[in-house]
Amino acid sequence: MRLPVLEDLPDLSGKRVLLRADFNVPLSDGTIEDDRRIRAALPTIEWLQERGARITACSHLGRPKGKPDPRFSMDPVRQRLGQLAPGVDLLENLRFDPGEEAGDESFVDGLVEGRDLYVDDAFGAAHRAHASIVGPPARLPSAGGRLLVREVEVLGGLLHQPARPFAALLGGAKVSDKLGAIRALLERVEVLLVGGGMCFTFLAALGHTVGDSLLEPGQVDTCRQLLDSGRRIMVPTDIVALAPDGRHTRQVGRTVPDGWRGMDIGPGTAAEFADEITAASTVFWNGPMGVFEDERFAAGTRAVAQAVAACRGFTVVGGGDSASAVARFGLTDRVGHLSTGGGAALELLEHGDLPGLVALREAPNAP
């Protein structure tokens, strides 16, 4: 059964629409640092407004832990949304109420009261069975917004019909956070490239000491099994490490000296990874190669981002820090698809479905 799309909604003239958006934007001292997620909702908002709908949007912002927190007020978002899409109302942060994350039915009642229709355009939250995601489709005619539907189309293509060769590049801190996605990708890709903090658990599985680098001892055996699976997994051959004094850096091989901390892939690894990316017809990238926010450790992520941008195949960057890195290096416009949901993208690749998508397909107007 396909997702209901905007065209599956009944006549919109004068209808009151609850729009679940993903306005979880980065803030600094109450100022929006990047409004990309707000702008991403505009195609859906404009389509609804052109047909006479009255829109009330809702979103979470940060992690306020179920109670009001002025640091996570929607006021900055409300101001920017008013500039980009006049006439759209915006509710306060959904996560100020514990009922949102708990999936509380009474919280859903409050959200849908006085609404005629529901549109979910928050792909970045579609992997959460939260009240605003799974509740309204059971009560109201519903549809996926333009952004959500496009995400599902692109990521579904990676699952079912990627152009080959297909290369996946994973970074980030922990193997345990991405283990399911790693296993799912290994069934589909020709090569898996591993960087970021998670690479040190793989290096430990190969018998190397990793100094003071990030390490998950409980995942070493799992990484060893993955490496022995016969699937093609590439791990770094050189590392940029930080000295115990926190100031000096040096390039090392796969063994990190005692007290030193691996912070980035080295130039040799960056070149090897770039070669694999260049040769691929499909690329999926999720997670930076190092602590790219510090210029001393940005070279690996920059090299990979440049290779993805230059790749002639179809490239998908999976949200979060990867999207931030692409933006930092000025390469956003050279990526085939920039996902708005890192965690949701990984879970869709792992499971083939998400709670938010299931809820939409069970809506009363679902085709």
Side-chain angles (χ1 to χ4, degrees), residues 22 120-127 148 151-152 155 339-341 344-345 348 354:
D22 181 5
D120 185 355
D121 214 20
F123 177 75
H127 59 315
L148 181 140
E151 293 272 17
V152 173
L155 295 165
S339 178
T340 57
L348 183 57
L354 299 172

Side-chain angles (χ1 to χ4, degrees), residues 57 63 89 133 144 196 214 218 270 276 287 360:
R63 298 179 183 274
D89 294 328
I133 299 294
L214 283 172
E276 295 293 334
L360 286 173

